């Protein structure tokens, strides 16, 4: 009986610690790896127009904040030619909703290597582009996105 009591205390402590970590992350400058964080505050905005995203080809993840929101997240980035795309698995984690908000207002900020970029995200629906970008995502991340489970958002530079 004592053992069960201590196991209960440990589980409770673990739950409190995880909740505290997620709560504290909301005050952090950006996400903490897979844990959503606060607004992207540090870093200078790039003022030159970006027409070629090839510089991000070998970058695995970037930080993204939807405009008007106080939270940010870590997302993958896929570069095909000079164009960049943000993939979003729509089924995991179960409570993810940023992709639906991006459909309504795609204005966002990306932070890449400490620099911030004002961008507009638009969901890709062209089958040819989706096939090409999906192939690049499989090559880069070695994980096959399943049709309908991954949305791709094209990234377009947005003037200040």
């Amino acid at each position: 009986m004592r053992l069960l009591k201590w196991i209960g205390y440990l589980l409770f402590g673990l739950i409190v610690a995880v909740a505290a970590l997620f709560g504290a992350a909301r005050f952090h400058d950006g996400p903490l790896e897979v844990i959503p964080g606060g607004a992207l505050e540090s870093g200078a905005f790039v003022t030159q127009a970006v027409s070629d995203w090839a510089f991000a080809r070998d970058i695995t993840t970037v930080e993204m904040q939807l405009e008007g929101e106080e939270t940010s997240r870590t997302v993958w980035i896929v570069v095909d030619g000079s164009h960049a795309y943000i993939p979003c698995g729509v089924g995991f984690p179960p409570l993810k909703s940023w992709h639906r908000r991006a459909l309504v207002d795609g204005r966002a900020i990306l932070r890449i290597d400490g620099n911030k970029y004002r961008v507009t995200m638009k969901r890709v629906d062209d089958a040819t582009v989706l096939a090409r970008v999906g192939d690049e995502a499989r090559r880069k991340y070695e994980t096959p996105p399943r049709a309908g489970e991954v949305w791709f958002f094209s990234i377009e530079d947005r003037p200040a």
Side-chain angles (χ1 to χ4, degrees), residues 21-22 24-26 28-38 63 72 74:
L21 176 63
F22 273 80
R26 298 295 179 162
H28 186 264
D29 175 18
L32 298 169
E33 295 300 323
V34 298
I35 300 172
E63 297 168 316
S72 60
T74 302

Side-chain angles (χ1 to χ4, degrees), residues 102-117:
L103 286 176
V104 176
D105 183 357
R107 294 175 304 140
I109 299 168
L110 298 182
R111 186 163 59 187
I112 304 172
D113 288 337
N115 295 311
K116 295 191 292 190
Y117 300 84

Side-chain angles (χ1 to χ4, degrees), residues 60-143:
T60 308
T61 59
V62 299
E63 297 168 316
M64 189 265 297
Q65 173 186 345
L66 295 175
E67 238 357 84
E69 294 192 1
E70 295 298 319
T71 58
S72 60
R73 61 209 32 87
T74 302
V75 294
W76 288 355
I77 186 167
V78 177
V79 177
D80 178 50
S82 61
H83 302 285
Y85 302 88
I86 301 292
C88 175
V90 295
F92 185 81
L95 299 178
K96 181 191 302 185
S97 61
W98 72 260
H99 56 290
R100 288 190 298 275
R101 293 191 306 278
L103 286 176
V104 176
D105 183 357
R107 294 175 304 140
I109 299 168
L110 298 182
R111 186 163 59 187
I112 304 172
D113 288 337
N115 295 311
K116 295 191 292 190
Y117 300 84
R118 286 182 177 91
V119 299
T120 301
M121 301 181 1
K122 294 182 181 172
R123 184 174 177 198
V124 177
D125 57 7
D126 181 296
T128 305
V129 174
L130 286 172
R132 198 174 59 243
V133 175
D135 287 345
E136 179 60 22
R138 279 187 284 282
R139 183 203 62 76
K140 184 173 184 177
Y141 297 103
E142 299 178 356
T143 180

